[in-house]
Amino acid sequence: MKIIILSDFAFINGGNAQVALNTAVDLAQKGYNITLFTAVGPIADFLKNISNLRVICLNQYDILSDPNRVRAIINGLWNFKARREFKILLKNFDIKDTIIHIHSCSKALSSSCIQIANKMGFKTIYHLHDYGIACPNMGFYNYKKDCICKKKAMSIQCLISNCDSRNYFHKVWRYIRQFIQMKIAKMPSEISAFIAVSNFSMNILNPYLKNKKNVYIIENKINGILDDKKIDVSKNKNIIFIGRLSPEKNPVILAKITKMIDVPVIFIGSGQCEREIQDINKKAVITGWLNKTEMREYIEQARVLVLTSSWYETQGMVVAEVGKNGIPSIVPSNNAATDFVIDEYNGLIFKNKDINSLKYMINKILDDNFVKYLGNNVFNYYKQNENNVDYIKKLITIYEIVLKKDNI
């Protein structure tokens, strides 16, 4: 079996790329023939000199950073170069023993790559890291109104909704891109199978995926930030937030509450809300983006992680990552991270966007005995729920099922 992995980026710039690139390395190290096809460089150092792994990077811009905005608009809709190069690559593979695993194509590669793969008869698996298989703005979120969008994706109501974070012109462009994806690239109709990362996200996307039998759930591979070390959270004071500091992530609500009750808070991440956070709570620490090594000292001093996202998310990996080290989380009720949290047992769930609800939960974890109880439970929860079948074995099983089904 040969495996082609599609990722917009050849380096890690978020959870999607992290999973895609690490999966490519893990599969190659298991002895599988892997080709990683990407658009945006540079190629990460850890991808180099790996046996069985070939990395192809087109050295293009992603849509957002391309200084030529006309080119960005065109490539975002249909990347002709990516399609041409991908077609050349696919001519060297046999449809009978090749799987194409799509992690991302919306930031640079475009659905043009999927169209040529479908046209040539290859089996494709789409990893549902976000909601872009259905929703034009990829999150079922109205950025203008700062709320979850309940409109049917790609309906007339969807088209006339000014929900994009930029402007209505950009929303129309996204709508056109989605139309091309659906009608020309045949996504999702001709995708062989899908991998969802949580039950929560699968339930949101179910109405848009015609064949539910071809949807598999595999939680993204998760490692504790401090390996297997357990933290005694009752000895720590810091509340931590990890993620993009943007309106849909709603970090401002945490800045307000920690100011009110005068507890230390550390924001690990960066984004447009940085100044507002500091204006609200001058004691708040904002570290910027950190790698896992740099993050360790902050994790060791954490009492609880607070996730404040106003939108759905698809998994909330960070909740599990710190949970493996015995750090409980407080998460919003409308969030995929609730899949990881048993309320009042290994974490807490607050009412989404409700400042009083979140304030109440934070006050609860100030009790040393209670937060220690949560910390012990969340550590044991991940110990007891470690799956005997590892992530790569699950992937290979799905690849084999898809190849077998389509070849009958």
Side-chain angles (χ1 to χ4, degrees), residues 312-325:
Y312 289 134
E313 303 282 357
T314 51
Q315 186 179 22
M317 283 176 63
V318 67
V319 171
E321 286 176 328
V322 301
K324 285 198 164 191
N325 298 128

Side-chain angles (χ1 to χ4, degrees), residues 266-286:
I266 297 171
F267 293 89
I268 300 173
S270 184
Q272 67 191 84
C273 294
E274 287 182 39
R275 177 167 291 185
E276 186 176 3
I277 289 169
Q278 292 185 321
D279 287 344
I280 290 169
N281 187 347
K282 299 196 183 303
K283 292 183 180 179
V285 175
I286 301 176

Side-chain angles (χ1 to χ4, degrees), residues 348-361:
L348 296 169
I349 299 174
F350 73 96
K351 186 178 179 182
N352 183 47
K353 297 178 72 173
D354 188 316
I355 193 167
N356 291 322
S357 176
L358 180 53
K359 182 181 176 183
Y360 174 74
M361 297 302 180

Side-chain angles (χ1 to χ4, degrees), residues 61-335:
Y61 288 99
D62 66 277
I63 301 168
L64 189 61
S65 65
D66 193 337
N68 185 327
R69 299 316 297 160
V70 173
R71 180 175 60 197
I73 289 169
I74 294 170
N75 278 350
L77 296 175
W78 197 259
N79 189 327
F80 289 92
K81 179 181 178 180
R83 184 186 186 277
R84 182 173 64 253
E85 294 298 323
F86 199 49
K87 181 178 181 180
I88 293 170
L89 173 68
L90 292 182
K91 286 181 178 179
N92 297 310
F93 289 82
D94 188 335
I95 65 171
K96 294 179 181 179
D97 64 2
T98 303
I99 279 286
I100 298 174
H101 189 161
I102 307 143
H103 281 273
S104 63
C105 62
S106 61
K107 306 294 186 184
L109 290 171
S110 86
S111 61
S112 66
C113 294
I114 318 305
Q115 185 268 343
I116 191 59
N118 287 332
K119 185 176 180 180
M120 294 174 71
F122 284 91
K123 292 77 179 177
T124 53
I125 297 177
Y126 192 95
H127 213 114
L128 299 165
H129 291 287
D130 53 43
Y131 298 101
I133 199 72
C135 173
N137 75 8
M138 305 179 74
F140 290 109
Y141 194 75
N142 188 317
Y143 290 87
K144 289 289 191 289
K145 295 182 178 180
D146 189 25
C147 65
I148 297 294
C149 176
K150 298 292 186 179
K151 293 180 173 62
K152 183 179 179 182
M154 295 302 290
S155 64
I156 295 299
Q157 289 74 23
C158 171
L159 173 60
I160 64 177
S161 174
N162 183 11
C163 60
D164 194 84
S165 59
R166 297 169 183 83
N167 52 56
Y168 185 65
F169 170 79
H170 199 265
K171 165 59 188 287
V172 172
W173 177 86
R174 284 180 176 270
Y175 192 95
I176 294 169
R177 179 178 68 173
Q178 197 78 6
F179 184 85
I180 291 171
Q181 176 178 295
M182 292 172 59
K183 300 300 182 181
I184 300 177
K186 305 296 183 183
M187 297 167 59
S189 61
E190 290 190 11
I191 298 293
S192 307
F194 299 88
I195 293 176
V197 297
S198 66
N199 283 299
F200 183 98
S201 61
M202 188 189 74
N203 289 335
I204 300 297
L205 286 167
N206 257 341
Y208 301 93
L209 304 176
K210 293 180 179 179
N211 191 346
K212 312 298 188 296
K213 293 180 180 179
N214 286 341
V215 182
Y216 303 88
I217 299 178
I218 307 183
E219 293 177 359
N220 286 327
K221 185 179 179 181
I222 296 167
N223 297 311
I225 293 173
L226 298 170
D227 300 318
D228 294 325
K229 182 177 179 180
K230 183 178 183 296
I231 302 299
D232 183 354
V233 290
S234 65
K235 294 181 179 179
N236 295 336
K237 302 297 181 185
N238 295 336
I239 292 172
I240 60 169
F241 174 102
I242 302 174
R244 191 168 63 252
L245 304 181
S246 54
E248 71 276 7
K249 297 283 189 176
N250 200 17
V252 171
I253 191 174
L254 182 58
K256 289 178 180 177
I257 294 169
T258 50
K259 167 69 174 176
M260 286 180 198
I261 59 182
D262 193 25
V263 293
V265 62
I266 297 171
F267 293 89
I268 300 173
S270 184
Q272 67 191 84
C273 294
E274 287 182 39
R275 177 167 291 185
E276 186 176 3
I277 289 169
Q278 292 185 321
D279 287 344
I280 290 169
N281 187 347
K282 299 196 183 303
K283 292 183 180 179
V285 175
I286 301 176
T287 68
W289 291 112
L290 304 176
N291 61 39
K292 286 195 176 182
T293 300
E294 296 167 331
M295 212 182 290
R296 286 173 178 264
E297 65 175 291
Y298 296 101
I299 300 303
E300 287 183 333
Q301 299 170 22
R303 187 177 185 90
V304 69
L305 171 83
V306 178
L307 193 70
T308 54
S309 291
S310 299
W311 64 351
Y312 289 134
E313 303 282 357
T314 51
Q315 186 179 22
M317 283 176 63
V318 67
V319 171
E321 286 176 328
V322 301
K324 285 198 164 191
N325 298 128
I327 299 169
S329 294
I330 303 174
V331 305
S333 54
N334 72 328
N335 194 277

